[in-house]
Amino acid sequence: FRASATGNLRKLTRAVSMDAAMLVYLDGANNVAAHPNENYARELMELFTLGVDNYTESDVRESARAWTGWRVNRRMDSVRFDPRLHDDGRKSFLGRTGNFDGDDIVDIIFEQPQCAKFFATSLLNWFVYNDPEPALVDALAGILRAHNYELTPVLRTILTSDVFYSARAYRALVKSPVEFVVGTYKALGLPEINETALPALTQMGQRLFFPPSVAGWPGGQNWLTSGTMIARQNFLTRLLGSQTLAASSWLRGLPVKPQ
């Protein structure tokens, strides 16, 4: 994700699909022709590219067959494709039929109009505001398709558009605990985040690397409860009253009053 954050979404989807961490996390490493595992095939469409109700159970089964054969060597942290474990029969997926493999599945998904709408909605939810208007989603989806899912020009369009500076977008997004904590340290000019930040994140509702489900954290207004708001205030109070603040770039060079 760091290498491809502003690259091509189709290429990123392929890379994630064949990544050792994903193959282990969603059981792709156990997906073989004799016993297809549907976990990744389902989440690829439901969570990552199309959204709920935009595919059938048959599509899940056929996609799982196409992804068979990938293996992970945990000792070497390497991934390889074993053709002996791959189902090379004909498959029917999202209205297309052929001897598909994983790359073909990704290509067919990205041909779907819903795919561009899914990513457009996700980008607008993240950068602008939640529940964007259908017309706005359609417009951004068109830009995604026009640029062949290259993210850099799409992000430039979002961040320089009038919508980004609109009244509705102003203060519309709730920072996640991670954004809140990291942003606080950066705003104060602190050079590094100390160990007290981790329990504070948990109290705010976000334990790093332990999302509540494969869908991640629900985010948005869900971050704000009476308990998590108090946790945010307590974090700020402890940080501003601690010795950590002495490292702030704001305080460097200030004259020290004699005792």
Side-chain angles (χ1 to χ4, degrees), residues 188-226:
L188 292 173
L190 295 169
E192 61 183 19
I193 297 176
N194 64 22
E195 66 280 359
T196 62
L198 288 176
L201 283 175
T202 301
Q203 292 165 0
M204 295 178 205
Q206 189 170 30
R207 185 183 175 199
L208 277 180
F209 305 115
F210 288 92
S213 71
V214 292
W217 291 275
Q221 297 292 330
N222 294 284
W223 290 125
L224 301 182
T225 68
S226 55

Side-chain angles (χ1 to χ4, degrees), residues 40-52 54-56 59-61 63 93-94 105 109 118:
Y40 182 70
R42 183 180 304 280
E43 307 306 357
L44 172 63
M45 292 184 283
E46 180 174 327
L47 299 180
F48 304 156
T49 58
L50 296 176
V52 181
N54 291 293
Y55 57 89
T56 67
D59 292 325
V60 173
R61 290 190 294 271
S63 176
F93 177 72
L94 292 175
I105 294 298
I109 287 174
F118 177 90

Side-chain angles (χ1 to χ4, degrees), residues 13-25 70 72 77 79:
T13 302
R14 283 202 180 99
V16 167
S17 300
M18 301 167 189
D19 183 83
M22 185 60 77
L23 287 168
V24 170
Y25 184 52
W70 288 96
V72 174
D77 193 26
V79 173

Side-chain angles (χ1 to χ4, degrees), residues 21 27 40-41 45 51-52 64 69 72 77 82 95 119 132 136 157 189 218 235 250:
D27 303 309
Y40 182 70
M45 292 184 283
V52 181
V72 174
D77 193 26
D82 187 342
F119 283 115
L136 184 59
T157 299
F235 161 73
W250 288 13

Side-chain angles (χ1 to χ4, degrees), residues 117-224:
K117 291 183 180 181
F118 177 90
F119 283 115
T121 303
S122 298
L123 290 167
L124 291 168
N125 270 306
W126 185 263
F127 288 107
V128 185
Y129 47 71
N130 299 145
D131 300 318
E133 302 89 340
L136 184 59
V137 171
D138 289 342
L140 189 64
I143 295 171
L144 270 165
R145 290 192 296 269
H147 289 282
N148 195 28
Y149 289 94
E150 290 289 339
L151 272 173
T152 295
V154 176
L155 291 173
R156 183 181 297 114
T157 299
I158 293 173
L159 300 180
T160 57
S161 71
D162 292 339
V163 173
F164 186 74
Y165 297 96
S166 67
R168 184 180 172 189
Y170 182 62
R171 292 186 174 180
L173 299 177
V174 178
K175 290 184 178 181
S176 70
V178 169
E179 290 177 294
F180 182 71
V181 168
V182 173
T184 298
Y185 275 78
K186 288 179 70 68
L188 292 173
L190 295 169
E192 61 183 19
I193 297 176
N194 64 22
E195 66 280 359
T196 62
L198 288 176
L201 283 175
T202 301
Q203 292 165 0
M204 295 178 205
Q206 189 170 30
R207 185 183 175 199
L208 277 180
F209 305 115
F210 288 92
S213 71
V214 292
W217 291 275
Q221 297 292 330
N222 294 284
W223 290 125
L224 301 182

Side-chain angles (χ1 to χ4, degrees), residues 183-191 240 244-255:
T184 298
Y185 275 78
K186 288 179 70 68
L188 292 173
L190 295 169
L240 294 174
T244 302
L245 197 61
S248 171
S249 60
W250 288 13
L251 303 180
R252 293 176 199 152
L254 291 179

